[in-house]
Amino acid sequence: QKPRKAQNPILSTNRIGMLYSWFSDRDYALGLSRVNTLISPIAIPPELRTFVEEAPQCYALSQSNAVYSLSRTILEAAVNDLCVRTRRRANKRCSFKKRLGHLADGPRVNLIYDHYSLLCRVVHGSVTVTCGEALAALLATLGFVHSLYADNQHRIQDGA
């Protein structure tokens, strides 16, 4: 007898069939349609674009905790990008709130930071979230990121 080739359990036909047994194309399309896109007045870095494109896909597949984690990543990546591009580069040891303070005023800093703190709960393993909570978090994140880019576009010094 020939030795049997090991199958990749993730790519096996049976697993793909199982996915479609509990999730239809219609469900996926409906999930995607619930998430707005990020409309930025200036170019965003490719890494941030990748995170922004992946988050709705995770939502459409009911991966709520992944959406929450990606929302935090999107927010942090946008703040880091803007700090670099506006030459408000904070020390790498600076807290997220301090970096955010270079880009927004007091009340907005607190509002965005409170949102960021909620997102951290999943990243640090404190809680899990529902699909509704994930959708609300992603939409809020995209709104904050849009406003941060819009508010700081005149400070961008790299010509982007």
Side-chain angles (χ1 to χ4, degrees), residues 70-147:
L70 280 167
S71 294
R72 180 194 165 190
T73 301
I74 290 166
L75 190 54
E76 192 153 7
V79 167
N80 291 342
D81 176 54
L82 282 167
C83 281
V84 169
R85 291 171 69 186
T86 60
R87 308 276 197 263
R88 297 176 186 277
R89 197 174 303 198
N91 182 320
K92 289 186 179 186
R93 293 184 183 151
C94 283
S95 68
F96 176 81
K97 190 170 187 175
K98 186 167 185 174
R99 286 177 278 145
L100 182 60
H102 292 298
L103 306 169
D105 62 8
R108 288 192 37 95
V109 168
N110 291 332
L111 185 64
I112 296 170
Y113 184 72
D114 288 347
H115 178 69
Y116 175 82
S117 296
L118 286 174
L119 299 173
C120 288
R121 298 175 315 153
V122 168
V123 173
H124 296 295
S126 302
V127 298
T128 59
V129 294
T130 66
C131 281
E133 290 168 320
L135 178 60
L138 180 56
L139 295 177
T141 299
L142 294 175
F144 288 138
V145 169
H146 169 80
S147 67

Side-chain angles (χ1 to χ4, degrees), residues 33-44:
S33 73
R34 290 186 177 136
V35 182
N36 295 331
T37 58
L38 173 63
I39 299 172
S40 175
I42 57 174
I44 61 172

